[in-house]
Amino acid sequence: MRVTEGGVELEVPGEQTEGVEESVFYNPRQELNRDLTIATLRAFRDRELRAESYLDAMTASGIRGVRAAADGWDVTCCDVDEEAVELASENVARNGLRETASVEHRNVNGLMHDEVFDVIDLDPYGTPMPFADAAFANCRDLVCVTATDTAPLCGAHFNSGVRSYSAVPRNTDYHPEMGVRILLSALARSAARFDVGVEPILTHATSHYVRTYLELDHRATSADAAIDELGHLYHCEDCLYREHDPGLIADPIETCPHCGGDRVLAAGPIWLGPVHDPAFVERVRGELPDAFGTAEKARELCETLETELDTPTHYDQHKLCRNWGLPANAMDEFLADLREAGHAASRAHYGGTTFKTNASVDEIRAATEDNLD
Ligand SMILES: [Zn+2]
């Protein structure tokens, strides 16, 4: 089957699944992820002028590498699967990019230890952690990471999450954000082993994956600063009260200071720091031409990210209202009431009913309940 995306054309072997033609080497649901990758690479090149080389570490059909090469990057595609390597090589040639894109057939951890790249892109199936150490050991400027194991990340598959991320994830009403912050915590700790500090400049989560872009700083003091962004989170399952506490040593609370209940969960270490740089996200938004298949959706996502508050958890308006036995109202009205009462409040990109605020659960209710009817 032939696929056209972002101005490049690929041939991928198709298979009929339930009457729909699909390919194990090409996932159309990841087009938004790839459009944002190209826009981020463009914005990043303005930020870091020396950045030239890009490693597509799990290349499959070659789609990411081919798109990056067509955009002027010096690309290496790598895959451990022989069939993928053949396919990616054909797709590089099909687009006339043999001069700027090479395809390697090997274990990418070995390649990352042997060669230095300015940008490394990890897009594995499942957890990226088996590749994180090798990526941070030698990468110069930017590590891009996709994690598709959202159930382990958010605590729904608890043991798997603990094993993969050396942290305690908890299943809360803000599960996508739990996933983001468990992933960032594990990546920051992996980078710190090599005296590398990470700064997340763009991060987004959908129901299918978490994606983050980490700018690197090769100084031990930066690695220390990243570790200082880690901490723990305590969450009451009854009233949705939550608090966070910086530091690698946990100090869990036994009873909820709000409702007095004892169903308090502790999660961590999670990343408590910022998950994106709003000025950078704005530049990324400016690099999404109409020709990109998901341009409109990607720009909307960037807009939400630019204004999203920098709190480590979000609320779900419907869950809160259900807890209070009150009907939910329109999100804009709800947020306006919070701001009217003097609190900071924003939408969150995790879903239409999600929002962020610095107000406590009681303060949220006091500010909004007059208009919940
Ligand atoms: Zn409580």
Side-chain angles (χ1 to χ4, degrees):
M1 62 194 263
R2 182 145 305 185
V3 173
T4 307
E5 187 186 293
V8 302
E9 200 173 81
L10 281 89
E11 192 67 38
V12 292
E15 279 165 31
Q16 288 286 333
T17 320
E18 291 165 9
V20 183
E21 196 169 36
E22 288 179 341
S23 170
V24 289
F25 293 108
Y26 173 82
N27 183 352
R29 285 190 310 179
Q30 294 268 17
E31 186 174 356
L32 173 80
N33 181 338
R34 290 186 292 265
D35 283 351
L36 274 170
T37 300
I38 297 300
T40 300
L41 290 175
R42 287 177 181 177
F44 188 74
R45 198 154 38 189
D46 294 337
R47 187 176 170 114
E48 182 54 75
L49 296 171
R50 70 170 183 187
E52 288 174 357
S53 59
Y54 170 84
L55 171 65
D56 177 2
M58 296 86 191
T59 201
S61 68
I63 179 72
R64 257 174 225 275
V66 168
R67 288 189 62 178
D71 224 47
W73 289 82
D74 171 12
V75 171
T76 304
C77 299
C78 185
D79 210 293
V80 74
D81 181 295
E82 199 172 341
E83 208 184 329
V85 168
E86 273 171 35
L87 184 61
S89 303
E90 282 164 24
N91 285 323
V92 165
R94 188 184 313 278
N95 289 279
L97 295 166
R98 275 208 187 105
E99 300 278 305
T100 46
S102 63
V103 184
E104 300 254 358
H105 180 209
R106 64 181 291 195
N107 180 319
V108 77
N109 277 334
L111 177 65
M112 290 190 287
H113 278 297
D114 285 350
E115 279 185 44
V116 176
F117 296 96
D118 298 327
V119 180
I120 291 180
D121 200 324
L122 303 177
D123 186 52
Y125 180 74
T127 176
M129 294 318 292
F131 309 98
D133 279 4
F136 290 119
N138 267 330
C139 182
R140 265 209 195 105
D141 298 313
L142 183 71
V143 173
C144 324
V145 181
T146 307
T148 61
D149 57 333
T150 51
L153 275 170
C154 75
H157 292 171
F158 182 79
N159 289 339
S160 173
V162 171
R163 288 196 306 274
S164 291
Y165 298 99
S166 305
V168 176
R170 291 294 187 186
N171 205 353
T172 60
D173 52 308
Y174 38 91
H175 49 91
E177 183 143 33
M178 177 65 68
V180 160
R181 290 173 185 279
I182 287 284
L183 175 66
L184 287 175
S185 160
L187 293 172
R189 283 177 283 130
S190 170
R193 286 179 199 127
F194 305 96
D195 289 348
V196 173
V198 296
E199 184 199 339
I201 52 176
L202 171 58
T203 307
H204 61 103
T206 72
S207 51
H208 304 297
Y209 60 86
V210 177
R211 174 75 166 166
T212 188
Y213 299 85
L214 302 170
E215 186 170 26
L216 310 184
D217 187 8
H218 294 261
R219 285 181 298 179
T221 49
S222 289
D224 292 341
I227 294 298
D228 284 344
E229 299 286 6
L230 304 180
H232 294 81
L233 181 73
Y234 311 114
H235 171 87
C236 174
E237 289 190 278
D238 292 326
C239 71
L240 307 182
Y241 168 87
R242 72 281 307 260
E243 66 177 59
H244 57 273
D245 188 20
L248 285 177
I249 297 172
D251 186 15
I253 48 175
E254 301 273 309
T255 48
C256 172
H258 180 242
C259 73
D262 62 359
R263 299 204 312 136
V264 183
L265 299 173
I270 65 164
W271 177 265
L272 294 175
V275 300
H276 49 254
D277 169 353
F280 180 76
V281 178
E282 192 183 341
R283 286 197 287 278
V284 172
R285 180 159 55 90
E287 300 287 357
L288 288 157
D290 291 334
F292 283 10
T294 73
E296 205 175 322
K297 218 175 146 193
R299 285 188 208 125
E300 265 173 41
L301 173 61
C302 288
E303 256 171 12
T304 308
L305 292 174
E306 285 161 39
T307 55
E308 191 173 288
L309 285 181
D310 200 14
T311 58
T313 68
H314 65 264
Y315 290 91
D316 186 285
Q317 186 210 20
H318 286 189
K319 181 107 192 254
L320 278 176
C321 289
R322 243 194 336 270
N323 253 19
W324 301 335
L326 292 168
N329 60 353
M331 182 58 88
D332 285 335
E333 199 184 334
F334 186 83
L335 294 178
D337 286 342
L338 279 168
R339 293 191 195 109
E340 183 85 356
H343 306 297
S346 76
R347 283 179 182 270
H349 76 283
Y350 302 107
T353 63
T354 65
F355 69 99
K356 291 192 155 199
T357 180
N358 59 355
S360 68
V361 174
D362 270 348
E363 288 169 335
I364 299 169
R365 182 167 179 169
T368 60
E369 72 179 337
D370 284 352
N371 286 324
L372 298 174
D373 49 28

